Structures are given as structure tokens and as C-alpha cells.
Amino acid sequence: MNDPLDIAYTEAVKQAQLARGSRRAAAGRIGAGWFDTANADLAAFLAERDHFFLGSASAAGQPYIQHRGGPPGFLKVLDEKTLGFADFRGNRQYISLGNLSENPQAFIFVVDYALQRRIKLWGRAEVVEGDAVLLQKLADPDYQARPERAILFHLDLWAINCPQHITQRVSAADIAPVLARYENRIAELEAELKLLKAAQPAP
């Protein structure tokens, strides 16, 4: 594979693009929306995210996608080719772990709904058990969840995708300060109204 974009644009994908007239528009290059190393922009984007979706597949190719959540920035850039996160205890189905034990190819999809941005990452995931030093580096001691292991993501390719069709949403944490300001203002106005009513002469 000479072109890093071949990870995403396989021959079958290129043929589908050619057949539908999008091959010229879809063709990209490293540095123009596509990257094969992590940079400061990716690190800054991930530092604000509190969830992502992890895609894996069994050796037979059966796909699976799992939501991963945690404190903002729990998916960390460790170096230009490695990301990592603490794997918290969940429903104990271990489908992702089973898949990764026989097929390390993995995919991460991260969305910023408020600003309608999304990033796609291709690579290989490595499950790391029993490494207390690494887990301490990845886990947030203030987050109330039990980290069971570390997962490293060896980055091959990532891309900034267009915002088209992303429905804009905001989190409760983002909107709480705005609501608090309105609630305080309402309380002030109600207090003023109460004083005005009290100052009115009796009929």
C-alpha cells in the first residue's frame, strides 16, 4: 500500500466512486483533510470530547460498534501515532475485547454535535492488561468509574469529515450556565414585582 489513503479508499471503494462519478471529488491527499499522524488539532478536539464510538470486527468480519464514554479528554493522544484510553467496566459482554483478540483492526468515530464536527480514525487497537503505570496515565481519578484495562489505538489514518447532516445538539453541562443565568434573572424580576405590588396603595 503506497498511499495511506488506501486504508479508507480500497480498490472496491474507488470503483464505487468511479461508477457514481465522485472519484475526482473524493480523491484526497495527506495534509488536506487527511492525516497519518496525530497533531495539535486532533489533540485539542479530543480533549473536549466525552464520548466516541469504537468499531471492531471478528476474524470472520462480523462488525460491531460500541459507545465509549468518560470524562472530557479521556481519549488521549500519547504520541503522533498512538492514542489511548482507560477501559471502564461496563455490561461485561466483552464483544470488543473478543473481536480485538483475533482482529486488531479498529475504527474510532468522534462527533462534536454542538459545533457539527466529526473525525474518523483508522488503526489497530491493542488491549493492555495489568499495566498500572499506563492505566494511571490514562485514567481520571475524579471520574467515578472503575478502569479495568488500557486500550491503545495505533493510528494509521484520520480525517476531518464534512458537517453535512449532523443535527446540532448541546449537552446538559453546556446549557446549564445559560439556564442558570435565566433562572437568576427570573428570580430578580419576580422579587422586583413583589416589591412593586407591596408598594401599591390598597384599593
Side-chain angles (χ1 to χ4, degrees):
M1 183 176 59
N2 297 321
D3 186 349
L5 268 67
D6 287 348
I7 296 169
Y9 288 169
T10 64
E11 285 305 314
V13 171
K14 292 174 184 177
Q15 289 303 314
Q17 293 169 348
L18 283 169
R20 292 158 180 81
S22 67
R23 178 71 195 125
R24 182 184 295 273
R29 66 182 186 278
I30 293 296
W34 294 86
F35 307 89
D36 57 0
T37 56
N39 58 24
D41 290 337
L42 178 61
F45 180 84
L46 295 180
E48 298 180 353
R49 308 281 73 78
D50 60 4
H51 76 284
F52 63 91
F53 298 93
L54 175 66
S56 62
S58 67
Q62 180 63 45
Y64 180 69
I65 189 167
Q66 186 173 49
H67 174 270
R68 297 284 175 146
F74 79 104
L75 176 59
K76 304 180 187 300
V77 173
L78 302 179
D79 59 51
E80 67 176 13
K81 295 295 287 185
T82 314
L83 283 64
F85 62 94
D87 186 31
F88 302 113
R89 169 171 281 189
N91 57 21
R92 299 174 65 83
Q93 291 182 337
Y94 301 124
I95 299 175
S96 294
L97 293 186
N99 285 348
L100 295 175
S101 72
E102 59 183 13
N103 179 3
Q105 300 299 321
F107 180 82
I108 290 177
F109 186 73
V110 196
V111 187
D112 176 356
Y113 291 100
L115 296 181
Q116 297 174 293
R117 299 179 297 179
R118 57 187 164 194
I119 284 182
K120 302 180 289 188
L121 305 101
W122 289 261
R124 291 155 290 110
E126 175 189 357
V127 178
V128 181
E129 304 273 8
D131 189 330
V133 175
L134 177 60
L135 201 56
Q136 185 176 22
K137 184 177 183 179
L138 295 175
D140 183 341
D142 296 325
Y143 186 64
Q144 298 302 309
R146 177 183 170 186
E148 293 191 320
R149 65 193 56 80
I151 295 183
L152 298 179
F153 187 84
H154 303 287
L155 182 65
D156 291 325
L157 182 71
W158 67 277
I160 300 171
N161 207 220
C162 73
Q164 190 173 351
H165 306 307
I166 298 178
T167 301
Q168 192 170 40
R169 296 182 175 91
V170 294
S171 69
D174 290 335
I175 204 170
V178 179
L179 290 177
R181 287 199 297 271
Y182 280 114
E183 289 170 352
N184 290 337
R185 183 55 179 155
I186 290 170
E188 291 172 358
L189 292 173
E190 288 177 340
E192 291 177 12
L193 181 59
K194 186 176 181 179
L195 290 174
L196 288 173
K197 287 182 177 180
Q200 289 180 349

